[in-house]
Amino acid sequence: MFTGKVPHIIYGGDYNPEQWPEETWAEDVRLMREAGVNLVSLGIFSWAKLEPRPGEYDFGWLDRILGLLHREGVMVNLATATASPPPWLAKLHPESLPVTRDGTTLYPGSRQHYCPSSAAYKECAAALVRRIAERYKDHPALAMWHVNNEYGCHVPECYCDTSAAAFREWLRERYGTLEALNEAWGTAFWSQHYSEWDEILPPHTTPTFANPTQQLDFRRFSSDALLDLFEMEKRILREVTPGVPVTTNFMGFFKPVDYWKWAAREDLVSQDSYPDPADPESHIGAAMVCDLMRSLGEGPWVLMEQTASRVNWRRRNVLKKPGQMRLWSYQAVARGAEGVMFFQWRASKAGAEKFHGAMVPHVKSEISRSWREVKQLGNELKKLDAMQGAGGEAEVAILLDWENWWALELDSKPSADVRMLEGIYSFYKLLFEANIPVDFAHPEANLSKYRVVISPHLYLVTDSSAANLNRFVRDGGKLVMSFFSGIVDENEHIRLGGYPAPFREMLGLVIEDFTAIPEGETERIETQDGESYACDSWLDLIHLEGAEVLASHTDGFYAGTPAVTRHAFGEGAAYYLGTRPEEEYVKSLLQRACREAGVEPPLEAPSGVEVVRRKSDTGSFLFLLNHNEEPAEVQVSGRDLLTDARRVDGVRIEPFGIVILEEQR
Ligand code: GAL
């Protein structure tokens, strides 16, 4: 459990009382009690209210609301309020404003208008955080710290002169000498050799493709610059309130920020989740994000934001259907969440988010379906205390490395259409549908607890990640690797010696060349049993060096060459997909790898029924989540946790319904 101060599953949301007259607060806390709210994130966007003029603070209103919340038994996830600087900062320090790649300054008037390397922003933010921490360090309502908000969400990188100087500093740290930098960046190409440090710039808009390593390093730097801001705040909070947990809210598979590095520095991982109800597969993507969060934090995490009903920032904002908010909340709990929170508590009446759903909507609560659902969920979650601390049971891991993601999606590649998330999702979706639990892992992580590891497009590999994967297979693991893997090192230089050099021996093959398959076109592959499948996107020209062929190409000048292979290596085996076959084929390949590894789902369930187990030393809980609009039946027994622990044999799950069974141990 993250905080002994909230001894239950956390329930609540972003609370912005500064948008309301104080008379409304009394109603707020009354409704919070009704809904079973036990924690609110307070003051995330309140810097301008807390410090209306430089160095002039007004904590009166925050004192009063904290007192009120405490009296009513609601704990506080107190924000450091640094996410949106007040207008005076830009007036005093125009150089603190961020600049985009093409040189556009981003002005105040929305939020997150600060350059991550700005000294003025850092100084003012640090002073504010210290004030807040000192003032509330002993407040009994303080349960945890909410640092900033969604770092990088709108401004993941900045190209101003301050950022350029900070980038050069970062490069000096990384390379030590200009010679080393020139070598790493391959500046012999296109006359890019640098003779002085101050010649180096961020990768601004250039006539054509910018230096790939420069682009990659700028991504690394930009992620680190944001991380430094988080660290700056955390240092102050640690010093003043050593025992209070610190988090900052993540945004799922957010490309600009390397969450592995961040999660290691947080006390608990928290996540904001906004699946689109208009997308029939959005619950699969949402599950994938939950699994990433559990993996990042190596355990329980908090769903920090979701909407009770609808967002306001898509072109068309579709309401969650009756039951869907509850269902998706339990999906998060099933996959390790120990907190279910919303953006936001009370719907705003002004500002850019007034049409965003909230726990308390604009309409009278008596007629609001979403309010009824919010109340139901909050009161139900109280029955799940026994769940706390229970973990997942994944034996399959999908590899994810942000540096690889950045490098893979740089320009000037054999195909611009090989995308990291598509590669990951193509495997994840099939495992999700088979109810096989999945973790995410960094390619340098200890993989020994997994039986199957899936490695989609692992284009950039360090020596140690290459060694790690070789070791995993040699020690008995089953690896499924997809095309365009093992191609470059951390400097984005080709690993010579025949593609994919670091995996050639393990895969038992060498790739002579690759070709993109033109858009809209497909090729065909045939399995050893004579079954034929389509494939598209990419095609490797494979020569065998010991691998066995599972499927070959049937057409074109590559007819008869291997498309999919398997190679026994050490105690394990490595599968390789040299193209993108249609789903049915990938499904059978995954089934084969899982069968070989002895990996099975918790139970057989009808299509559309998600089954997830959480387990601890004291209990085992089976979540059955029906994503169908029809009821579903599952043959399983246990004690039904939500209906006062009655024992059931065989369950019927309502449309968008859920059942949680405590299993016999
Ligand atoms: C999040 C953000 C919240 C709110 C919400 C709306 O990205 O953290 O402050 O803007 O989106 O969906």
Side-chain angles (χ1 to χ4, degrees), residues 14 16 44-45 111 146 149-150 153-154 249 251 272 274 305-307 310-313 343-344 353 356:
D14 283 17
N16 300 305
I44 296 175
F45 295 103
R111 62 177 174 185
H146 185 295
N149 190 66
E150 292 191 342
C153 162
H154 312 298
N249 42 349
M251 293 162 281
D272 300 346
Y274 294 98
E305 290 181 22
Q306 62 171 339
T307 181
R310 183 195 57 224
V311 298
N312 68 314
W313 40 261
F343 174 83
Q344 58 177 329
E353 294 188 317
H356 196 291

Side-chain angles (χ1 to χ4, degrees), residues 17-30:
E18 68 274 23
Q19 295 176 12
W20 298 94
E22 297 199 15
E23 303 81 76
T24 313
W25 300 358
E27 191 197 20
D28 280 336
V29 288
R30 182 177 62 74

Side-chain angles (χ1 to χ4, degrees), residues 370-383:
S370 72
W371 168 247
R372 275 197 306 278
E373 292 184 1
V374 160
K375 270 198 309 192
Q376 178 194 355
L377 179 61
N379 288 299
E380 272 177 3
L381 286 173
K382 294 176 182 163
K383 299 176 184 168

Side-chain angles (χ1 to χ4, degrees), residues 524-533 542 544 548-554 560-566 576-579 581 585 589 592:
R524 301 222 50 101
I525 58 171
E526 194 175 281
T527 66
Q528 296 308 85
D529 313 329
E531 284 170 24
S532 168
Y533 295 92
I542 296 176
L544 298 176
E548 137 200 21
V549 179
L550 302 184
S552 328
H553 293 286
T554 55
T561 66
V564 184
T565 60
R566 178 184 181 280
Y576 183 73
L577 285 152
T579 183
Y585 179 78
L589 191 80
R592 176 175 171 167

Side-chain angles (χ1 to χ4, degrees), residues 334 384 386-393 602-603 611-623 636-641 659-665:
L384 299 189
M387 191 79 55
Q388 290 178 93
E393 50 172 12
L603 56 86
V611 183
V612 187
R613 182 177 281 130
R614 273 185 77 164
K615 245 176 156 170
S616 68
D617 294 344
T618 53
S620 175
F621 308 93
L622 198 65
F623 286 72
V636 57
S637 56
R639 282 162 19 105
D640 186 331
L641 272 193
V659 171
I660 307 173
L661 297 179
E662 185 170 5
E663 297 177 298
Q664 213 82 53
R665 295 198 317 123

Side-chain angles (χ1 to χ4, degrees), residues 607 609 626-633 652-657:
S607 148
V609 175
N626 184 9
H627 295 280
N628 302 304
E629 299 201 38
E630 307 82 46
E633 297 198 355
R652 180 190 147 94
I653 323 166
E654 295 307 317
F656 292 149

